[in-house]
Amino acid sequence: MSDEFIALSVPNLKGNELKYVTDAVETEWVSTAGPYVSDFEKKIAEYVKAPAAVSTQNGTSALHVSLLLCGVTREDAVIVPTLTFIAAVNPTKYIGAEPIFMDCDDSLCMDPVKLKKFCETECDFVNGNLIDRTTGRHIKAMVVVHVFGNMADMEAIMDIAREYNIKVVEDATEALGTYYTEGRYAGKFAGTIGDLGCYSFNGNKIITTGGGGMIVSNNQQVLDHAKHLTTQAKADQANFIHDEIGFNYRMTNLQAALGLAQLEQLEDFIKTKEANYHRYKDAIDKMDGLHVQDFRDGIRSNYWFYSVVFENDETGRDRLIEELKENHIQSRPIWGLISDQVPYKGARCYELEKAPWYWHRVVNVPCSTNLDEAGVDRVLDVIRNFK
């Protein structure tokens, strides 16, 4: 039907999901213990070529624990992007640390040029610690988000991080399956380059467990500590002895069963997303004043989200969203800048220029792996006729 609703991004559950979840129910392993959890952790680690992985309740909890594992305290600062979902930034405040908001480049990811300039001109490097002159805080870590399945410029960012002794947490919650094909990190997946990497399996992600997340690292000792923290820090499980503040951040066996079935289909999902991306891009890039945002050269993206950019019109974003809605098509603007949100008013910001520009001009269009060519063409017809 021409008026059938087209969602923005919904799960695709047509593999072994029911089979594995039914098995978990029938064997009565439905909570945070059960074989599917360890199996899912192992398979994710194998997929991204990490030594191991630790499952969590969601991507936000993965980020929270990762910052704790970087040694971030309430006395510190963390460099974060302003153009991202707020869940990438909130864990900094959970700890009591302060965010420093950084601009994006044209990848929509953190701008390494401004990052380096900030470190050089706004900070002092004292006894191996980068100190923000304005606040006096030790900048102990940064959260680098791989936006919409793109890849941040990790070569430049890691050089800066190593020069100034800053821990790097990769927020790869939108980028499972994205990896470098060229350069120093050829073959390395998003999430496996920094000190820790985090994934999300929320319902709108490229694979889903309903909710859920994962931590990876190349440091087994760090992963062991992550497992300890996410399971209530039990030093002696039999006698309920705890040696530090832990968290109930465990993934359930039901979630992991769903995740295993989804992971089996991930490469096929990426093929569908790539084909639909190019179908959009080939058409929209020929329209006056519009283009579909590119993914970085030298990577294989997972093509998670597609960004239609209004090059010269700040009013087009909202008008197109409304036009699509009237045609039963769901779309959305890019996130409101985190540094403008009420909880972060007055926070430290540095030369935010491109992020506001993109915020006014980006529309995300339907990108589900259930979306077929006819669905893409329906979206394109609305955009093509949009005035």
Side-chain angles (χ1 to χ4, degrees):
M1 292 177 60
S2 62
D3 62 348
E4 183 178 351
F5 179 69
I6 299 178
L8 178 67
S9 181
V10 293
N12 187 338
L13 305 173
K14 298 179 178 66
N16 287 315
E17 290 85 359
L18 186 59
K19 175 183 175 182
Y20 295 167
V21 171
T22 300
D23 177 66
V25 171
E26 289 179 346
T27 57
E28 299 182 341
W29 289 103
V30 297
S31 189
T32 54
Y36 282 110
V37 176
S38 57
D39 286 351
F40 187 42
E41 289 173 334
K42 180 182 177 183
K43 291 295 185 182
I44 286 288
E46 289 174 351
Y47 178 80
V48 301
K49 302 177 184 177
V54 174
S55 58
T56 61
Q57 189 54 232
N58 46 52
T60 309
S61 55
L63 289 163
H64 182 201
V65 168
S66 293
L67 287 174
L68 290 170
L69 292 168
C70 288
V72 175
T73 72
R74 64 173 47 255
E75 305 300 323
D76 300 322
V78 178
I79 295 173
V80 298
T82 189
L83 188 69
T84 185
F85 183 49
I86 200 167
V89 179
N90 282 343
T92 295
K93 295 295 283 184
Y94 297 167
I95 295 169
E98 288 298 324
I100 299 171
F101 288 100
M102 196 61 54
D103 202 11
C104 69
D105 60 17
D106 289 321
S107 71
L108 304 183
C109 305
M110 188 178 289
D111 183 346
V113 176
K114 287 185 177 175
L115 174 64
K116 185 172 179 61
K117 182 181 174 185
F118 173 81
C119 294
E120 291 175 342
T121 64
E122 299 291 323
C123 304
D124 295 312
F125 193 52
V126 183
N127 297 324
N129 297 327
L130 189 67
I131 307 298
D132 180 4
R133 290 196 204 110
T134 298
T135 65
R137 287 179 176 265
H138 177 193
I139 301 171
K140 196 168 283 182
M142 69 175 83
V143 177
V144 179
V145 182
H146 300 301
V147 176
F148 296 156
N150 211 342
M151 182 82 88
D153 184 350
M154 292 303 292
E155 288 195 9
I157 288 170
M158 291 304 296
D159 286 345
I160 296 163
R162 297 302 175 241
E163 181 178 357
Y164 292 104
N165 195 25
I166 307 170
K167 296 288 187 182
V168 176
V169 175
E170 289 183 77
D171 181 336
T173 54
E174 301 168 3
L176 179 65
T178 297
Y179 59 84
Y180 273 106
T181 58
E182 300 174 7
R184 185 196 311 168
Y185 296 122
K188 296 284 285 185
F189 281 78
T192 68
I193 298 168
D195 295 278
L196 296 112
C198 301
Y199 302 106
S200 170
F201 310 116
N202 188 36
N204 68 341
K205 295 301 190 291
I206 194 162
I207 69 170
T208 185
T209 60
M214 197 75 73
I215 300 171
V216 296
S217 174
N218 293 311
N219 186 323
Q220 186 61 54
Q221 187 175 358
V222 167
L223 290 171
D224 291 342
H225 196 186
K227 193 71 167 180
H228 187 60
L229 289 176
T230 58
T231 54
Q232 294 288 22
K234 293 178 181 177
D236 182 342
Q237 184 165 342
N239 293 298
F240 297 96
I241 304 299
H242 307 262
D243 59 1
E244 59 183 315
I245 298 296
F247 306 92
N248 185 14
Y249 281 169
R250 300 168 294 179
M251 178 180 284
T252 70
N253 202 50
L254 285 174
Q255 290 173 312
L258 198 64
L260 270 176
Q262 287 275 284
L263 186 57
E264 292 171 352
Q265 304 166 82
L266 176 54
E267 286 299 317
D268 287 336
F269 289 166
I270 292 173
K271 288 178 184 176
T272 297
K273 280 185 171 284
E274 181 179 11
N276 286 343
Y277 167 81
H278 286 294
R279 195 171 186 86
Y280 276 124
K281 187 168 180 58
D282 290 347
I284 292 173
D285 283 4
K286 296 173 184 175
M287 302 179 193
D288 288 341
L290 293 176
H291 71 267
V292 173
Q293 195 74 359
D294 292 317
F295 290 96
R296 185 180 297 281
D297 291 338
I299 71 166
R300 195 291 294 267
S301 175
N302 72 354
Y303 297 92
W304 181 58
F305 254 37
Y306 316 141
S307 298
V308 177
V309 181
F310 282 83
E311 296 165 353
N312 307 305
D313 184 0
E314 289 191 6
T315 69
R317 180 195 73 176
D318 293 341
R319 292 188 294 110
L320 178 57
I321 290 170
E322 187 60 32
E323 184 79 9
L324 289 165
K325 182 180 178 181
E326 290 177 3
N327 284 273
H328 310 288
I329 299 168
Q330 186 180 26
S331 62
R332 53 161 249 193
I334 206 167
W335 315 278
L337 302 186
I338 309 305
S339 53
D340 290 341
Q341 306 289 332
V342 171
Y344 294 101
K345 288 289 186 182
R348 183 92 155 96
C349 301
Y350 185 70
E351 295 189 359
L352 303 184
E353 297 164 324
K354 284 199 172 181
W357 191 92
Y358 280 109
W359 176 70
H360 285 294
R361 292 169 172 82
V362 169
V363 177
N364 293 130
V365 293
C367 59
S368 303
T369 55
N370 296 301
L371 187 63
D372 59 17
E373 290 184 358
V376 173
D377 289 343
R378 253 190 69 200
V379 178
L380 286 171
D381 285 342
V382 174
I383 298 173
R384 196 175 283 114
N385 294 318
F386 173 71
K387 303 298 183 183

